[in-house]
Amino acid sequence: MKSIVLVGGGGHAKVIIDIIRSRAEFNVIGIIDNDLKKRPIYDIPIIGTDEILEEIFRKKIATNAFVSFDGIKRIEKRGKMFFYLKKIGYEIPILVHEKAIVSDYAEIGEGTCVMAGSIINAGSVIKENCIINTGAIIEHDCYIGFNSHIAPNASLAGGVIIGDHTHIGVGSVVIENVKIGSNVIVGAGAVVTKDVPDNVIVAGIPAKIIRENC
């Protein structure tokens, strides 16, 4: 069994650990977090800050790593951490919960996690470092850009295109063939019926731009 280190010791890490243990592919040797006062998660200790990631790889303590933090305000940091781990040389796996449904004709990039109860249908492309959260539905021929988060129970109809670093909120709906740009936040429960440009926050039914996302 390969050893893996997780980067981030919050609630998202709990779900990542659950996915890893549901598949029994990796042994989680520890969690990296800049708050060393955090308690262990499911008996897995906090072993250090970001500063020891290079040492862990160099000493071959773990050659696999995974970004295990999320949050709308930290989405850019997630992307930067992914590239930092790649630069060091870590392998970053795809993690799919045993109770997710993923078509054999879907494409998923490294570092992406697919949570329990989610569905990814044929022809869809999910790029690297994405989160497909609990119960999310990605219909046929969708495209999800790098480092984007499809939150719990969000539904994307067929042919939807999502840019990079974009957050699709809890329980939101995006109708077929809509294009949503990069660095966008779609509010919880929104219904997106038309294209959305880059760098904005949209909310409501139907979704409308409420401000820029700086």
Side-chain angles (χ1 to χ4, degrees), residues 38 51 183 187:
K38 285 186 176 179
E51 295 177 353
N183 192 37

Side-chain angles (χ1 to χ4, degrees), residues 7-169:
V7 184
H12 188 62
K14 295 179 180 180
V15 186
I16 297 302
I17 292 166
D18 182 49
I19 293 174
I20 289 172
R21 289 182 169 175
S22 80
R23 293 292 192 182
E25 297 177 40
F26 297 96
N27 175 41
V28 184
I29 60 101
I31 299 168
I32 298 296
D33 198 287
N34 290 330
D35 182 0
L36 296 177
K37 295 180 180 179
K38 285 186 176 179
R39 300 178 65 180
I41 298 176
Y42 304 140
D43 72 18
I44 299 171
I46 308 296
I47 59 173
T49 68
D50 297 351
E51 295 177 353
I52 71 167
L53 281 166
E54 292 189 36
E55 180 182 5
I56 288 171
F57 182 81
R58 185 175 67 252
K59 292 183 176 180
K60 305 302 180 185
I61 297 169
T63 56
N64 289 265
F66 201 86
V67 183
S68 54
F69 62 87
D70 66 348
I72 296 173
K73 294 182 179 179
R74 298 199 293 172
I75 196 165
E76 183 179 358
K77 182 180 178 182
R78 273 185 55 83
K80 289 180 178 179
M81 180 56 69
F82 174 86
F83 286 119
Y84 178 61
L85 294 172
K86 293 276 289 180
K87 181 180 179 181
I88 292 172
Y90 283 102
E91 294 184 28
I92 307 177
I94 299 165
L95 298 179
V96 180
H97 196 281
E98 63 177 355
K99 294 182 180 178
I101 299 172
V102 179
S103 169
D104 290 339
Y105 300 101
E107 178 183 328
I108 300 177
E110 64 181 326
T112 285
C113 58
V114 182
M115 307 298 197
S118 58
I119 300 172
I120 301 174
N121 269 329
S124 288
V125 175
I126 317 296
K127 299 300 286 185
E128 297 85 356
N129 208 47
C130 289
I131 302 171
I132 309 302
N133 220 315
T134 309
I137 297 175
I138 313 297
E139 263 302 339
H140 65 87
D141 300 309
C142 288
Y143 176 93
I144 313 298
F146 171 74
N147 193 45
S148 287
H149 181 177
I150 312 303
N153 290 323
S155 297
L156 309 185
V160 167
I161 297 175
I162 307 291
D164 302 336
H165 313 292
T166 285
H167 178 91
I168 307 297

